[in-house]
Amino acid sequence: MKADSERRDTDKGSIGDAASVDDAAATDGSASRDDAVSDDERDALLSIAHGAVVTSGGISFQRGLSVWIELVLTRGLGPELYGVYAFGWRLTTMLLRFANMGANMTLQRDIPAFADDPDRQRRVLGLSYATTAATVFALAVAIGLSANWIDEATISHPTFPRALRLFAVLLILIAFVQLHATALKAALSANGEVLLNRILRPGLRLLSAVAAIALGYSVVGVVGVLVVAFGVLAVTAYPATVRVTGIRPSFSFRGFQSEARHFYDHAIPSALSGIGALLRTRVDVILIGVFLSATAAGIYNVVLVLVGIAAIPLYAFNQLMPPVASDLYSSGRIGTLNDVYRTVTRLVVTTTVPLLAVLAVFGQELLAVFGPTFSRGYGVLLVFLAGRFVGNAVGATGILLSMTNNHYPKMILEWFLAVTNLVLTYLFVLEFGLIGAALGTSVAIAVQNLLQVLLLRRFEGLWPFHPTFLKPLGAGLGMVGVMAVVRTVFDGALAVGVGTVAGLVVFLALLVAFGINPRDRLVVDGLVDQYRYVMGAKLAELR
């Protein structure tokens, strides 16, 4: 802690400078203060922004495919059987949160931190694969043995036990695909991570769903086709990952003991945080399965798919935040880290607001695309959007706590709120039904993120908020007003199309009228120059 305190003391000037630049931006949106931005901050911002551009395209593609996947399955299976699939899929994705026993966060911390020590990088990667294998196989066996009991305790459907055993096999395969992607991310290969995790994964799911439905398969057949597809991906992606990262995992016992101690000191608290986060954010899925019907589980899953669209900006800008934050923190550049954190969070808010506005105003029409039964989830959608806004508005709080070695306080907070969420969601589901599940989870997400901001402020002096955040919020209100008017004039898909276009025009016009922050402009200009240079070089090669 003493070393951390010294790092903060030596970099206080940078934090003060960041505040002054943002103050200037708040009073004069057209002012140019690029000279106040250090080279370190400029490089970090452009690296994160480039990762966000690549990732947002990949995630948008992924979310688009996810919508098509759910459309194919809801139409092909019907509300009840789709609910069986959705409940099994959600259980699988929940278990993926800690299927590698915290190796994902540790890998993202240590690969950039050990850039000058390739042997340690290889040992860390080897430990990650070994830990993932041990954990995920144990989980899969436990699921397979308890499939009948899980079915009786939850949705009680005759096809669910067989489907759940196949989901257990699928869990193993996706866990390794996810670890390949994490290794690419830790090595700052945004393109590789996006290709594997955001394009190939959902692409295979869509192809598998279409093929299974075309062949007349039911739930068990759909999951079986997924197992085959992901088995091929897990095997073929490994050599590609090693080639791109340049790091081949080492399973040698040499130096294993000391490395394992360092590795698990971070990985185990991260895993426990993941379990706490799981209970905090997805206990609602379990309670819906216990107290409500398979159809309710299907409705809830479709709502979560739409809410996932609003999470795109946060995931995109957080793509390269872990290695960048680890590098800045380990080298003592805390002030620069704060500057980056504030700017990135403001960019997340700016890109989140229009997505939330469209989903809130036209949510009922969007849900109806999946079938008339799913329109019942509109109230659930609105509750989740409120929680999603708070989660996006605080930025990379969880990542920064882990990258600044505050993983133990994070773990304690996760578990405290997990218990709180379990109690609240249980009471809300019994009292309010489906919307109660969303209410309990959204409250827990909001409280969690706000408390994590306070922890970052307390331990590291990092603080993301600034009055300039009000500009995109004001523009968002104008966008909502325009879309609400359009909704009274048009109906259905026409209202969504016309309203979205008109709303975006108003949002951008108001944003420009309020003034663009100089740091935000620096990021945009830097990316434009970078891509112009790359495109020019490519055109020159073609000539």
Side-chain angles (χ1 to χ4, degrees), residues 15 36 108 120 143 163 190 194 203 213-214 221 249 288 297 348 382-383 417 421 431 510 518 521:
I15 296 178
Q108 292 179 72
R120 292 198 71 178
I143 293 170
V194 167
I213 296 299
I288 286 171
V348 169
L382 292 179
V383 172
L417 287 168
N421 183 41
E431 183 68 24
L510 289 174
R521 186 184 296 112

Side-chain angles (χ1 to χ4, degrees), residues 97-319:
R97 295 284 292 273
F98 58 92
N100 53 30
M101 194 55 75
N104 57 336
M105 292 305 295
T106 305
L107 196 61
Q108 292 179 72
R109 183 195 68 167
D110 287 352
I111 291 296
F114 300 152
D116 298 328
D117 193 343
D119 288 337
R120 292 198 71 178
Q121 287 184 324
R122 286 192 288 269
R123 288 197 294 270
V124 167
L125 190 55
L127 278 167
S128 299
Y129 275 102
T131 302
T132 298
T135 305
V136 76
F137 275 103
L139 287 171
V141 170
I143 293 170
L145 294 175
S146 59
N148 289 327
W149 177 84
I150 294 173
D151 176 58
E152 292 172 3
T154 55
I155 59 178
S156 299
H157 196 280
T159 63
F160 189 56
R162 284 184 298 155
L164 190 56
R165 292 187 179 96
L166 285 173
F167 272 121
V169 179
L170 187 62
L171 173 65
I172 297 172
L173 301 172
I174 297 180
F176 279 104
V177 172
Q178 185 172 271
L179 187 58
H180 300 334
T182 302
L184 291 166
K185 183 177 180 178
L188 295 179
S189 177
N191 293 346
E193 194 275 342
V194 167
L195 176 63
L196 180 57
N197 218 21
R198 311 295 181 182
I199 296 177
L200 292 180
R201 270 182 62 180
L204 277 179
R205 281 188 65 208
L206 178 58
L207 290 175
S208 300
V210 170
I213 296 299
L215 292 170
Y217 291 164
S218 188
V219 177
V220 176
V222 169
V223 184
V225 175
L226 283 171
V227 168
V228 174
F230 275 89
V232 173
L233 181 60
V235 173
T236 57
Y238 173 75
T241 301
V242 171
R243 185 172 62 253
V244 171
T245 62
I247 307 170
R248 182 175 296 278
S250 170
F251 302 99
S252 171
F253 284 101
R254 183 181 179 184
F256 176 82
Q257 185 174 355
S258 60
E259 195 66 68
R261 188 181 303 112
H262 172 82
F263 182 89
Y264 290 116
D265 180 64
H266 188 272
I268 291 176
S270 295
L272 293 174
S273 294
I275 296 172
L278 179 68
L279 294 174
R280 176 178 53 80
T281 59
R282 285 296 169 260
V283 71
D284 48 354
V285 174
I286 298 173
L287 292 175
I288 286 171
V290 172
F291 294 111
L292 303 178
S293 64
T295 300
I299 293 171
Y300 206 72
N301 189 67
V302 167
V303 169
L304 290 176
V305 169
L306 290 184
V307 173
I309 296 173
I312 290 175
L314 183 65
Y315 291 151
F317 280 99
N318 283 354
Q319 172 75 355

Side-chain angles (χ1 to χ4, degrees), residues 514-530:
F514 293 152
I516 306 296
N517 185 276
R519 273 183 163 80
D520 300 349
R521 186 184 296 112
L522 178 150
V523 170
V524 174
D525 291 346
L527 289 177
V528 169
D529 291 342
Q530 179 181 341

